[in-house]
């Protein structure tokens, strides 16, 4: 697959930086019933791959998120349990299982079967970016409305 680079002038332009260091088992569990927020950088990268926004995004409570089909992320191949856009996957997918809670702050999600393989420094390295990620994800809807007219009113 072609690797798409997007530069919108923000900290999330360097998507490789946000790849969490762990021993992922590629079980696909994190792709089921996902509520993954999308950043403008994610939307732009996926659109440049040729996917229409309507194909991969949905709006829930004012937040643009990955769309689920049959209970899993639209990009999960059910036969191989692999992400079909892995090289271009959203920032939130790259950071997982490091997640953020408004009360507790950053933590490692123990729902991930490989949670205990997350390199110990990853929570510290990536955790500080998560409040910014949440804040930026809340701006994505305005961005896609201006840039793509989505969703149609």
């Amino acid at each position: 697959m072609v690797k798409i680079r997007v530069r919108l002038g923000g900290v999330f332009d360097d998507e490789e930086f946000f790849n969490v260091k762990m021993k992922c088992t590629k079980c696909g569990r994190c792709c089921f019933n996902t509520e993954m927020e999308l950043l403008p950088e994610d939307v732009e990268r996926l659109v440049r791959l040729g996917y229409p926004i309507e194909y991969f995004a949905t709006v829930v409570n004012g937040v643009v998120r990955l769309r689920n089909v049959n209970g899993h992320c639209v990009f999960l191949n059910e036969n191989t349990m692999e992400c079909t856009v892995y090289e271009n996957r959203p920032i939130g997918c790259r950071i997982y299982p490091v997640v953020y809670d408004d009360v507790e702050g950053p933590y490692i999600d123990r729902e991930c079967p490989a949670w205990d393989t997350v390199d110990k420094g990853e929570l510290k390295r990536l955790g500080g970016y998560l409040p910014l990620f949440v804040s930026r994800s809340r701006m994505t809807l305005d961005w896609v409305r201006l840039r793509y007219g989505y969703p149609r009113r």
Side-chain angles (χ1 to χ4, degrees):
M1 171 173 282
V2 173
K3 176 79 172 151
I4 302 291
R5 295 261 180 218
V6 174
R7 302 284 179 235
L8 296 181
V11 68
F12 296 108
D13 285 351
D14 184 4
E15 70 273 0
E16 295 302 320
F17 175 81
F18 294 97
N19 287 334
V20 69
K21 292 174 182 66
M22 64 179 290
K23 291 183 175 122
C24 178
T25 63
K26 300 193 189 245
C27 68
R29 182 182 274 176
C30 56
C31 303
F32 284 89
N33 300 311
T34 183
E35 296 179 0
M36 184 58 66
E37 299 95 345
L38 295 173
L39 301 179
E41 293 84 352
D42 301 325
V43 172
E44 187 69 10
R45 199 167 34 259
L46 295 168
V47 166
R48 287 186 186 180
L49 281 172
Y51 296 101
I53 293 174
E54 296 82 3
Y55 176 78
F56 65 84
T58 188
V59 178
V60 179
N61 297 326
V63 177
V64 180
R65 300 178 185 275
L66 278 174
R67 189 165 69 84
N68 285 284
V69 176
N70 298 325
H72 60 78
C73 173
V74 65
F75 293 118
L76 179 67
N77 179 321
E78 289 180 275
N79 296 321
T80 63
M81 298 306 286
E82 294 178 351
C83 177
T84 60
V85 295
Y86 188 81
E87 291 298 317
N88 296 286
R89 70 195 183 284
I91 296 292
C93 298
R94 292 170 183 275
I95 293 173
Y96 187 82
V98 176
V99 295
Y100 184 78
D101 179 83
D102 286 334
V103 175
E104 295 183 33
Y107 66 97
I108 298 172
D109 185 0
R110 291 183 178 217
E111 290 293 314
C112 173
W115 72 269
D116 59 343
T117 70
V118 175
D119 185 270
K120 302 303 178 214
E122 291 299 87
L123 189 59
K124 184 175 182 179
R125 182 177 77 86
L126 297 171
Y129 292 97
L130 292 179
L132 179 60
F133 174 89
V134 170
S135 173
R136 185 132 169 87
S137 72
R138 292 178 181 149
M139 294 186 278
T140 303
L141 181 57
D142 290 337
W143 187 85
V144 296
R145 277 187 177 141
L146 289 169
R147 182 142 173 99
Y148 295 105
Y150 175 82
R152 310 269 187 271
R153 291 182 190 212

